[in-house]
Amino acid sequence: MTDTQTDAPGKADGPDGAGRARRLVHGWSANLVQMGLGLTQQLLLIPAFLHVWSGDMLAAWLAIYAAGGLVVVADGGLQLRAINRFLAFRSCVDCDGRTARSYRAMLRIYLAIATGLGVLLCAAISLAPPSAVLGFHATPTFDAAMLVMTLGMVLSLPANLASGLYRVRGQYGRVIWLQNAALLLGQIAQLVALFTFGSLLAVAIAFVAMQLLFTIFVAGFDAPRLFPFLRRATKPARVAPSWRWSMGQFGRALPFAVANVTELALVNVPVLLVSAMVTDRVTVAQWGLTRVIASLVRGLCLQVALPFGAELGHDYAIGDIERLRRHYAYGSVFVTGLACLVVSGMLPFWPDFFALWTHGSIPYDGPLAVTLLLGSAAVAPSLLALVFASHSNRGELLIRTKGLQLVVFLALSFLLIPRLGPLGAAFAVVASDILIQFGLLGWVIMRQTLRGPFRHVAFLLLMAVAIVAAGWLIGRAITALAPGGGLAHFIAECAAWLVVVGALASPLLSKALCERLRALVPA
């Protein structure tokens, strides 16, 4: 194997972009499987846990799992900072050498973070046991399980750096498939630990062990084998980066950290605010369950946009403006069309699913669901802009827009939730998305990237209205022609919708028609 990365973005592409299309398809398929595994972890494993544990034990595990998920904040935006550095080296003469030096320097920072946070976690849990803080005094092994979960996830942070290198070098799908394997093995290990030992500590060890094995395999074995230049001795190992340089990386990573924190806040903080400001617990549950579907649409759009990010970031780094403009326009249309298609199918059938999901115990709120779903479709184009901004080193733009969005969201939430309840929270999320993320961040990126941003936005709007209206009307017609209830009826309705929509979309299988439609996309 040579030091030349044959599958790097831009090198394996033929005239028709076959290499790029292949990488995107691999990335999308891997991301969709990862979303499915995430749903399995959070939804389908619950009955197995309840078969062995009581409701209190399950609540304790959910708290431990949530704490592990929050460790992602400890990255502090360093992964995206490293990705932008690696992309910038793509136009340099000694690309591999500079990438290897930067990788080793950033790896030292990650190892220092993992060590420092590990010591702090051990001290904090010793001084303030989580069982006392969170009210799980009577739950056996809770403190030990919390320590294992959080410490294990902290020690897994170096995998972020290796994952960033995979993205830049055209191996995005490979690293996600490796993560999927770790998640699947982790879920199997959790079930084995659950039915064999039955303790929180055993299940936490099972989950974390697979994450650590993934980190060791990727950072210690697979990345050096796949990218041989990482082993090249271009700099003496005893020469470490200075403290000033290391701290500077945190400063340059701050905009990416702000963007990530804002995205996490838009998903999680509304649930906490509604819980604190609304006294009716049924209404709170109604909001939490309805918010799940909007978060799913947003997550789907982000997962589809992420593989585009590395490809667009590569074009931006090497100055291939024409290719960047063309693929950004196609990607924007693709992400928006997918979001609108999903929303158009959810709008007519969500009431039936909600009733089946909650067994009729939680009332359905139509205006709330419609607001969140339409807002998810409206913000879809800006999610690609957000991903592209994160892969093109637009730190100043990110920190200004995402920081402002967080402020606007919180201000609107405190203003509207006491008056409108969960609908006020929905308005706050959607308004901050449309006004700031789409109206400011998305517009700036489109204006800097595309020749005709006004025409592109008009094209997206026309396409979105057509798809959502058509899908919604087809669904309403199906529900009107086949009234009824129950799980079998719901499945039949969804199948009929898929058949009709598939038949209407079948002309898109024609390559000639697709080429003509691509020519219509304003770039």
Side-chain angles (χ1 to χ4, degrees), residues 501-514 517:
V501 172
L504 292 175
S506 59
L508 294 177
L509 296 175
S510 169
K511 186 176 181 179
L513 177 61
C514 286
L517 292 177

Side-chain angles (χ1 to χ4, degrees), residues 389-405:
S390 298
H391 286 75
S392 55
N393 209 23
R394 315 286 180 95
E396 183 180 352
L397 177 63
L398 283 172
I399 199 168
R400 284 191 290 109
T401 54
K402 297 303 289 185
L404 179 61
Q405 183 181 7

Side-chain angles (χ1 to χ4, degrees), residues 54-374:
S54 64
D56 291 341
M57 286 281 284
L58 177 61
W61 166 250
L62 293 177
I64 292 169
Y65 183 79
L70 289 175
V71 172
V72 67
V73 178
D75 180 85
L78 286 175
Q79 184 191 42
L80 285 170
R81 165 61 182 165
I83 287 174
N84 279 283
R85 291 290 292 163
F86 298 154
L87 286 170
F89 296 148
R90 300 299 290 161
S91 59
C92 297
V93 175
D94 186 19
C95 172
D96 288 348
R98 298 191 67 176
T99 299
R101 289 192 292 271
S102 179
Y103 182 91
R104 282 194 292 271
M106 293 296 293
L107 183 59
R108 292 190 183 96
I109 295 177
Y110 268 99
L111 293 176
I113 292 173
T115 303
L117 286 181
V119 172
L120 289 176
L121 278 172
C122 293
I125 289 178
S126 298
L127 296 174
S131 58
V133 175
L134 300 176
F136 291 102
H137 309 272
T139 305
T141 70
F142 181 85
D143 290 334
M146 180 67 79
L147 177 61
V148 166
M149 175 64 80
T150 52
L151 183 59
M153 296 307 290
V154 164
L155 295 177
S156 300
L157 284 176
N160 290 358
L161 178 63
S163 177
L165 183 59
Y166 279 74
R167 287 195 201 185
V168 173
R169 292 304 182 104
Q171 297 289 346
Y172 180 87
R174 179 184 179 89
V175 73
I176 299 300
W177 280 116
L178 290 173
Q179 288 178 349
N180 291 344
L183 289 173
L184 179 60
L185 292 175
Q187 291 176 6
I188 295 172
Q190 288 173 67
L191 292 176
V192 172
L194 175 70
F195 288 103
T196 303
F197 301 101
S199 68
L200 287 171
L201 178 59
V203 176
I205 291 174
F207 178 84
V208 165
M210 295 302 123
Q211 299 303 309
L212 290 176
L213 285 176
F214 164 76
T215 301
I216 294 170
F217 176 75
V218 169
F221 297 97
D222 196 55
R225 182 191 64 81
L226 197 62
F227 311 114
F229 57 82
L230 293 180
R231 300 172 178 169
R232 197 166 61 194
T234 56
K235 184 177 181 180
R238 65 180 181 273
V239 179
S242 67
W243 278 100
R244 182 177 180 181
W245 182 89
S246 299
M247 296 307 297
Q249 302 310 301
F250 286 98
R252 293 180 176 89
L254 179 62
F256 306 113
V258 170
N260 291 337
V261 168
T262 300
E263 284 298 305
L264 288 173
L266 290 173
V267 173
N268 299 307
V269 171
V271 179
L272 301 178
L273 292 177
V274 171
S275 299
M277 298 182 188
V278 177
T279 57
D280 187 351
R281 296 293 93 183
V282 174
T283 302
V284 173
Q286 182 188 69
W287 160 255
L289 294 174
T290 306
R291 181 70 184 136
V292 166
I293 200 66
S295 299
L296 179 62
V297 177
R298 190 186 194 96
L300 176 64
C301 292
L302 281 172
Q303 293 297 330
V304 171
L306 278 173
F308 274 116
E311 301 292 337
L312 296 172
H314 173 266
D315 294 341
Y316 180 83
I318 66 174
D320 193 345
I321 301 303
E322 184 57 37
R323 187 176 183 182
L324 168 65
R325 181 180 295 119
R326 185 173 67 254
H327 283 94
Y328 183 91
Y330 297 157
S332 179
V333 169
F334 183 80
V335 173
T336 304
L338 179 63
C340 293
L341 183 64
V342 172
V343 168
S344 71
M346 288 179 173
L347 283 171
F349 302 123
W350 176 248
D352 293 340
F353 176 79
F354 193 86
L356 291 169
W357 191 26
T358 62
H359 301 287
S361 59
I362 305 295
Y364 171 72
D365 188 330
L368 178 63
V370 170
T371 300
L372 287 173
L373 286 173
L374 291 180

